[in-house]
Amino acid sequence: MTRTSLSRVVRDPRSGEVHVPHEPVTIVSTTRNLDRILLKVQWQSGGNCMVFPDDVKDIPLFSATD
C-alpha cells in the first residue's frame, strides 16, 4: 500500500462524501478496466473508492493488475 494525497476534489459515489485536495489517501490496489487504469483508495476517515490516476498526485511507478 502506498500513501499519497488527492490532487482535486473527489466525491465518493457510495457515501456521497466529498474529499478535498491534499487529503491523505492510501492506494490499496490498481485495476485495468476497458483500457483505463483505476486506483482503489482508502480514505483516512475510513471506507474506500475507485478513482482515476489524475485524481491523486505523486503516484509511484505501478503496474495495473487484471
Side-chain angles (χ1 to χ4, degrees), residues 3-40:
R3 297 197 49 90
T4 187
S5 60
L6 295 176
S7 64
R8 62 174 102 188
V9 174
V10 175
R11 182 180 170 273
D12 185 340
R14 287 190 254 172
S15 68
E17 189 175 351
V18 176
H19 299 273
V20 296
H22 307 293
E23 180 178 336
V25 295
T26 302
I27 299 174
V28 177
S29 66
T30 61
T31 304
R32 183 179 296 269
N33 185 4
L34 300 173
D35 283 338
R36 294 180 302 176
I37 295 175
L38 300 170
L39 305 173
K40 182 175 184 178

